Amino acid sequence: MKIYKKMVMALLSCLLLAAPLQASAQANATWITVELGLHKIIRDSQAVSRVATGDPAIADVTVGGLHDVLVNGKKIGVTSLTVWNRGAKHPREFRVQVVPPRLPTATAVQNDPELAQAQVNPGQGVTGRLPNLTAHRRAKLAAAIPKDGELADGSDVALETQVQTQVKIAEISRSTAQRFGFNAIYSGGRTRAVFGNPGSAPTLNETGTSVLPPFNEAFNLVIDSASSKLLGALSMLEGKGLARTLAEPTLVAMSGQTATYLVGGEFPIPVVQGGSSSSGNSSITIEYKEFGVRLALTPTVLARNRIALKVAPEVSDLDFNAGVTSGGVTVPALLVRRTETSIELGDGESFVISGLISSNLRRNVDKVPWLGQLPILGAFFRATEMTREEKELVMVVTPRLVRPLAREVQLPPLPGSKYDGYRPASGQLFFEDASTETGFSR
């Protein structure tokens, strides 16, 4: 029994001595620091036979050569590394720490005045207050925050988030037309002359003979000479047109959010469903297409004086001249002016985002062969038409940082609010001249 007691006491003594040795070995283990996504080569004086790691998801360890151990950082954290050398009785223990990649901007962060109220902790995250999004990007880069946001981002950007954008769309269209032509026919009867407006039918003479003017839409001078028995029509037209379109949509949106705006309407478009219209097995459904003034914008406030703006304004009008008629139904075409772009500008600044100057000249000459080429007299055997169209289009955007009106503040009067209580009596409605009012005289 004494022999067994001595053996148990000796075994307990060995275990008690081994535990402190193992704990001290772990405390004195060599630390290896590897940056995330990078690798480090550890050269050993003795040949390496085998390696093992505690968590392969944190660090991947392989034998790169006879005396080399390759450590690859895969995830931020700490794990163990065990290396067995040839001829050695015991393996060696290491601790591997995977840290975020060290960026050269760490020194620049300390000297950046915009990051004075923020705490940038590499490998941990960003906290504190930042003045704008540009400083926020620099802070995230210094803290090595990836796009998926694995590290903490508890910072606060002190910016206005409401953006009011005013878009001015101004278009002016000018047109000039000149048309001349002369037609004649041999006739008889009394001499008479008739001057007709554009589109009017020529006057018949006593024999029932008529002459067609070269241009029905022009001013026509019809002359009937009994002595020469000639009936002639002279078409003359010189027209000038001017059209101006002005749209000023204004829209308020939050930073980073998309807002849309439409003032106009919808027109129906018949669509054949289920086969061709000739087979008789089809049905017609109605689809509606929008037209008018449309605005879509996405503002992003970068700083108190910088706004990034993605804007897409559009102005469309119905054009029945270029429409399509099918089954007795006329579907108009659309005259569209649109643009889509992204710009960056300051608070209250304006930018011309789109401009167009278009000039179209068309000249057409119809004449009788050989006779139309005669000098002077050839003018009576020709019909000349010249049309010029000019268009100018400008789109200007102006964003502004705005705040909502305070509670219970007196709001400005709405357009036409003075007519809310307008209830005229019968005598007042009959004798008063309402055209002198501001709302009517504009």
Side-chain angles (χ1 to χ4, degrees):
M1 292 294 295
K2 293 182 178 181
I3 296 176
Y4 288 113
K5 288 183 179 180
K6 291 181 179 181
M7 293 178 62
V8 171
M9 293 296 295
L11 181 60
L12 292 176
S13 300
C14 292
L15 292 175
L16 293 175
L17 291 174
L21 289 175
Q22 185 177 4
S24 61
Q26 293 179 358
N28 297 327
T30 303
W31 284 84
I32 301 173
T33 303
V34 184
E35 296 182 22
L36 178 65
L38 303 179
H39 64 271
K40 177 179 287 188
I41 299 177
I42 302 174
R43 299 188 180 277
D44 201 337
S45 58
Q46 301 180 9
V48 179
S49 60
R50 187 163 61 94
V51 294
T53 180
D55 189 354
I58 296 179
D60 186 16
V61 182
T62 58
V63 178
L66 185 61
H67 298 275
D68 297 338
V69 176
L70 183 63
V71 181
N72 184 21
K74 300 176 63 178
K75 183 180 178 181
I76 296 177
V78 178
T79 185
S80 61
L81 170 63
T82 306
V83 179
W84 285 269
N85 297 108
R86 294 181 182 178
K89 296 183 179 179
H90 303 286
R92 292 190 298 168
E93 296 288 338
F94 297 89
R95 293 291 182 270
V96 179
Q97 182 182 11
V98 180
V99 298
R102 297 182 180 89
L103 302 176
T105 57
T107 304
V109 168
Q110 300 176 359
N111 301 326
D112 195 337
E114 293 185 344
L115 305 183
Q117 299 182 2
Q119 292 77 39
V120 181
N121 303 315
Q124 298 181 9
V126 180
T127 57
R129 194 172 184 84
L130 295 167
N132 51 60
L133 291 181
T134 305
H136 182 255
R137 292 174 183 173
R138 296 198 301 269
K140 291 181 62 176
L141 181 64
I145 298 181
K147 292 183 179 180
D148 53 7
E150 291 183 0
L151 300 182
D153 182 9
S155 60
D156 181 21
V157 181
L159 284 178
E160 303 291 344
T161 58
Q162 310 284 351
V163 179
Q164 181 188 48
T165 305
Q166 182 182 22
V167 181
K168 293 185 178 180
I169 305 172
E171 180 185 18
I172 185 170
S173 177
R174 294 182 293 268
S175 62
T176 304
Q178 293 179 347
R179 299 178 182 179
F180 299 95
F182 178 77
N183 285 349
I185 190 172
Y186 182 79
S187 180
R190 296 181 304 174
T191 301
R192 54 183 173 175
V194 177
F195 184 79
N197 291 325
S200 63
T203 303
L204 299 176
N205 60 3
E206 293 180 352
T207 60
T209 306
S210 62
V211 59
L212 295 177
F215 303 107
N216 290 328
E217 65 276 10
F219 291 92
N220 299 310
L221 178 61
V222 181
I223 302 175
D224 185 4
S225 176
S227 59
S228 60
K229 298 182 180 181
L230 289 177
L231 180 62
L234 177 63
S235 294
M236 297 174 293
L237 175 64
E238 182 175 358
K240 294 183 179 180
L242 176 65
R244 183 174 184 263
T245 301
L246 177 63
E248 296 186 20
T250 302
L251 194 61
V252 178
M254 292 186 61
S255 177
Q257 302 295 322
T258 301
T260 58
Y261 174 98
L262 174 64
V263 174
E266 297 181 346
F267 64 94
I269 300 177
V271 179
V272 179
Q273 303 287 345
S276 62
S277 59
S278 60
S279 62
N281 297 325
S282 61
S283 60
I284 298 179
T285 60
I286 301 299
E287 295 183 359
Y288 289 88
K289 186 174 181 60
E290 298 176 345
F291 72 96
V293 180
R294 177 194 295 273
L295 177 62
L297 60 90
T298 305
T300 301
V301 181
L302 303 178
R304 291 187 179 275
N305 59 345
R306 301 306 298 171
I307 301 174
L309 186 64
K310 181 179 180 181
V311 58
E314 176 183 320
V315 177
S316 58
D317 298 320
L318 298 180
D319 184 9
F320 288 91
N321 295 327
V324 178
T325 302
S326 177
V329 179
T330 301
V331 180
L334 284 179
L335 294 176
V336 181
R337 288 83 73 196
R338 71 162 65 96
T339 185
E340 183 175 354
T341 185
S342 297
I343 56 176
E344 182 178 332
L345 65 172
D347 181 16
E349 295 180 347
S350 299
F351 217 113
V352 179
I353 62 173
S354 180
L356 170 66
I357 298 178
S358 175
S359 179
N360 184 16
L361 175 63
R362 182 175 67 254
R363 182 174 181 179
N364 184 34
V365 178
D366 297 327
K367 60 184 178 180
V368 179
W370 301 296
L371 296 179
Q373 299 178 357
L374 295 176
I376 301 178
L377 295 178
F380 295 97
F381 301 95
R382 290 195 302 263
T384 305
E385 178 182 1
M386 186 185 71
T387 304
R388 179 188 295 272
E389 296 180 357
E390 297 178 351
K391 289 185 179 181
E392 296 181 13
L393 176 65
V394 176
M395 294 187 181
V396 185
V397 296
T398 305
R400 292 183 176 88
L401 294 176
V402 295
R403 292 182 178 180
L405 296 175
R407 185 174 56 185
E408 298 181 357
V409 170
Q410 182 67 30
L411 298 177
L414 298 176
S417 59
K418 68 176 184 177
Y419 298 104
D420 292 343
Y422 183 65
R423 300 291 187 272
S426 300
Q428 182 183 1
L429 187 63
F430 180 77
F431 290 102
E432 282 188 353
D433 185 7
S435 62
T436 59
E437 295 290 338
T438 305
F440 293 94
S441 60
R442 182 175 178 178

